[in-house]
Every structure is written in C-alpha cells, then in structure tokens.
Amino acid sequence: SGTRNSLSLESKALACTRRRSLVMMKNVLGITLIIARSSAFVPHRRLISSTTLRKAVNEISAQDLKQLFGGNEVPAAQSVLTMDGVQMIDVREPDELMVANYPKPGMDSMGDRPMQHLPLSTMNEWAPKAVDGSLLDKSKPVVVACKVGGRSMQVCRWLDDQGYEEVYNLAGGINKYSSVDPSVGGPY
C-alpha cells in the first residue's frame, strides 16, 4: 500500500511535468548547464539545450581605461594592459559617436592608436575578418566598449567563443567613462 501511494504520487508528478515545460539551470564548477524538458517528455531523458564552457567576461573600469589612455600600465585580470599591446573596439552606431566619443574620435589620447569602430549592427560584415584573425590579433588583449556595456558584453562573449585569449568589457560603457573624463561628452 505504501509503495502503491508513492507510485501514485510519482505518476502524478510525472504527468504534471509532461503538461508543462520545465527548464533547470545548474552551475557546476563555473559551467552553466541548461536542461530543458519539453511537453514531449520522455522519463529519465534530459535534453541538454545548451552547455556553455565560456569563462566569465573580464571587465575594465572607466578609471582604468582613462589610465590606459594616459599611457599608464593597467593591471588587469589576465595581464598588465599597455596602449601598445591592447586593441580597442567601439560597437556603438555611427550617430552615437556624435554625442560622445573617446579622447580623440577614433584615436586614443596619444593620437597614435585607433579605436576601431565596429558597429554591432554591421557585425555580419566584419565578423568573418574577426573570426580568421585578420581584423584583430587573437593573442592580444581586446577592450570592447559601447554606451552602457550591454552590446559590448555580447561582442566580448562572441570574441571569447571565437578563440580570443583576453577580452575586456568596458564596465558602464562610455556613459561611465564620461564621469571620469567629461571632455568626451555624454552621458546620453
């Protein structure tokens, strides 16, 4: 009788699980697994819809970026960043550059290193060059910036997936950067 009741409860729980979709996320040693059960549930079978082996995205603060623009070395998550060793890209749209821009439009404060403008909306055009390494050097650090950090975070994750060794998101984007260097314009 006790076994029959527990089987009945198990059957009810299984039926309930079958009627609605269940998504479970497990974080195991920094790896997030998303396990999805659909309405076409098969007992004891889990469909892994996505496994992510990506590292956490590194961030660089607005203060550290200003120091970097000033020619100073900046200790970072994986190395010490220097102006001659870092690649910088801005993924904002062209009209956003008119509102706020880094020390010199398209250039760092020293005037000799371009901040590449690669709008997220045109990613399909520049992505193949980023994948094959002809646009950016995969072995050198890359700092990615946007308005507040969301779009640049997407690009950071994508670059990480493409095998870039050291990728940094500008925390807070140019809006945050404008609080440490008002000469750039913004926030907007």
Side-chain angles (χ1 to χ4, degrees), residues 58 76-81 138 140-142 164-168:
N58 299 311
Q78 293 177 258
S79 66
V80 175
L81 301 179
K138 290 185 177 189
K140 289 185 177 181
V142 180
Y164 282 79
E165 295 175 14
E166 193 173 356
V167 182
Y168 295 87

Side-chain angles (χ1 to χ4, degrees), residues 2-177:
T3 305
R4 180 178 269 173
N5 284 342
S6 67
L7 285 177
S8 174
L9 289 174
E10 257 186 313
S11 297
K12 287 178 183 177
L14 183 59
C16 179
T17 303
R18 284 183 182 160
R19 283 193 295 267
R20 59 188 161 106
S21 177
L22 173 66
V23 175
M24 297 181 341
M25 291 180 60
K26 291 185 179 183
N27 190 345
V28 181
L29 298 174
I31 300 172
T32 302
L33 299 176
I34 300 173
I35 304 166
R37 292 185 182 159
S38 70
S39 57
F41 176 73
V42 177
H44 307 293
R45 183 173 169 204
R46 291 185 177 158
L47 305 174
I48 309 236
S49 64
S50 172
T51 58
T52 307
L53 299 175
R54 87 180 59 187
K55 312 172 280 233
V57 172
N58 299 311
E59 287 193 328
I60 185 169
S61 71
Q63 294 84 357
D64 285 345
L65 184 61
K66 184 175 182 187
Q67 291 296 314
L68 191 61
F69 278 141
N72 299 310
E73 292 183 347
V74 176
Q78 293 177 258
S79 66
V80 175
L81 301 179
T82 61
M83 276 310 296
D84 52 336
V86 72
Q87 306 166 95
M88 291 185 274
I89 62 174
D90 187 341
V91 298
R92 294 177 299 149
E93 297 307 311
D95 60 321
E96 293 179 276
L97 300 180
M98 305 304 264
V99 179
N101 212 334
Y102 294 94
K104 291 184 182 177
M107 303 298 279
D108 67 28
S109 62
M110 299 166 71
D112 60 0
R113 185 166 186 81
M115 162 96 57
Q116 294 187 62
H117 181 228
L118 303 172
L120 187 59
S121 65
T122 62
M123 189 173 180
N124 61 336
E125 296 170 18
W126 56 262
K129 291 178 184 175
V131 170
D132 71 18
S134 63
L135 181 65
L136 300 164
D137 185 339
K138 290 185 177 189
S139 66
K140 289 185 177 181
V142 180
V143 173
V144 186
C146 68
K147 180 180 177 182
V148 295
R151 288 173 285 177
S152 53
M153 179 68 76
Q154 292 174 12
V155 172
C156 285
R157 287 185 174 147
W158 181 81
L159 289 170
D160 181 53
D161 289 345
Q162 303 313 309
Y164 282 79
E165 295 175 14
E166 193 173 356
V167 182
Y168 295 87
N169 185 40
L170 174 58
I174 195 161
N175 275 0
K176 183 65 175 175
Y177 186 83

